């Protein structure tokens, strides 16, 4: 019975990831800077939802023990927020993209909060798959830069400061750092999904 439950959880997590991937591909195709703005806006939600829910659970039960996970989830949310700030500087989203972001974030907050309350392991598994897809997207972004399809512009100052990069850092240097973060988030969420 437990194996069936894990299989259903995994199937749901994968199918939701593929659905959101389809939406991103449809709206943004190869416009990776703009795609990053929208996806990072949503990516900042899971860590915050998990952190707040676990914090409230600790208060309700009047028990300790969730502190490290709460901090880790809040750090993930902050890291994703910084990714957003970096890509806003790079992509300069249009007013339509800003409205899409607001709508997508509103819907995703409700969806993810309910998923996390009732099925936290499935929620973490879904974020594991989201983060793996983010790694694929950022790898594709790097390929576009290396092939000359996208200009390797200077890194924004906010990225230089956040990652401690050299003053002459380029967009490709930033994407490598962001991709490393996403790999780490994928691993953390996978471990929490077990």
């Amino acid at each position: 019975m437990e194996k069936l439950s894990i299989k259903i959880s995994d199937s749901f997590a994968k199918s939701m990831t593929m659905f959101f991937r389809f939406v991103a591909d449809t709206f943004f195709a190869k416009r990776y800077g703009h795609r990053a703005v929208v996806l990072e806006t949503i990516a900042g939600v899971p860590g915050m939802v998990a952190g707040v829910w676990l914090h409230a659970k600790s208060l309700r039960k009047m028990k300790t023990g969730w502190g490290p996970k709460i901090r880790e989830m809040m750090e993930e949310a902050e890291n994703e927020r910084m990714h957003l700030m970096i890509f806003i500087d790079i992509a300069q989203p249009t007013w339509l993209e800003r409205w899409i972001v607001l709508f997508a974030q509103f819907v995703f907050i409700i969806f993810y909060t309910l998923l996390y309350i009732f099925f936290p392991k499935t929620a973490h598994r879904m974020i594991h798959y989201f983060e793996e897809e983010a790694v694929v997207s950022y790898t594709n972004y790097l390929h576009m830069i290396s092939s000359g399809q996208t200009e390797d512009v200077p890194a924004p100052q906010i990225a230089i400061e956040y990652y401690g990069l050299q003053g002459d850092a380029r967009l490709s240097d930033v994407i490598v750092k962001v991709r490393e973060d996403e790999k780490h988030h994928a691993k953390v969420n996978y471990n929490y999904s077990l």
Side-chain angles (χ1 to χ4, degrees):
M1 189 68 178
E2 187 177 336
K3 284 185 178 183
L4 178 62
S5 177
I6 291 169
K7 189 173 181 178
I8 291 169
S9 172
D10 194 62
S11 294
F12 178 80
K14 279 183 182 174
S15 67
M16 292 311 301
T17 301
M18 291 302 104
F19 169 74
F20 288 114
R21 175 73 194 230
F22 170 77
V23 171
D25 288 346
T26 302
F27 278 101
F28 300 103
K30 303 284 183 190
R31 295 173 45 222
Y32 283 100
H34 294 267
R35 175 194 197 104
V37 167
V38 174
L39 295 181
E40 293 298 350
T41 302
I42 291 170
V45 170
M48 185 61 70
V49 167
V52 169
W53 180 253
L54 292 170
H55 178 76
K57 188 174 183 179
S58 177
L59 296 175
R60 278 193 320 273
K61 295 192 174 210
M62 299 178 196
K63 291 185 179 177
T64 61
W66 287 293
K69 187 174 180 182
I70 292 167
R71 283 188 290 282
E72 193 162 34
M73 292 294 96
M74 298 305 270
E75 286 169 11
E76 179 181 310
E78 173 60 11
N79 179 252
E80 299 289 10
R81 186 186 73 83
M82 287 306 296
H83 292 173
L84 174 64
M85 297 302 114
I86 290 165
F87 284 106
I88 283 175
D89 201 304
I90 292 166
Q92 299 295 315
T94 66
W95 67 268
L96 177 60
E97 288 165 337
R98 289 175 184 266
W99 278 104
I100 290 171
V101 162
L102 288 173
F103 177 74
Q105 190 180 68
F106 176 76
V107 170
F108 191 72
I109 285 172
I110 294 168
F111 166 75
Y112 192 76
T113 299
L114 292 172
L115 181 63
Y116 198 84
I117 289 169
F118 295 108
F119 306 100
K121 289 186 177 192
T122 301
H124 282 296
R125 182 63 61 103
M126 185 178 76
I127 300 310
H128 160 73
Y129 289 129
F130 277 21
E131 299 295 0
E132 284 187 337
E133 287 297 323
V135 170
V136 170
S137 289
Y138 286 120
T139 300
N140 291 340
Y141 200 177
L142 283 170
H143 287 312
M144 289 185 72
I145 291 170
S146 65
S147 69
Q149 294 175 280
T150 299
E151 186 180 355
D152 197 10
V153 297
Q157 189 60 35
I158 188 171
I160 290 170
E161 291 171 8
Y162 183 67
Y163 285 113
L165 300 171
Q166 298 293 322
D168 62 349
R170 311 298 290 182
L171 174 58
S172 56
D173 300 313
V174 175
I175 294 170
V176 166
K177 291 290 193 182
V178 170
R179 186 176 63 177
E180 287 173 11
D181 291 341
E182 304 298 10
K183 285 178 183 177
H184 174 71
H185 298 326
K187 183 178 177 183
V188 166
N189 280 282
Y190 177 79
N191 290 336
Y192 284 136
S193 76
L194 298 176

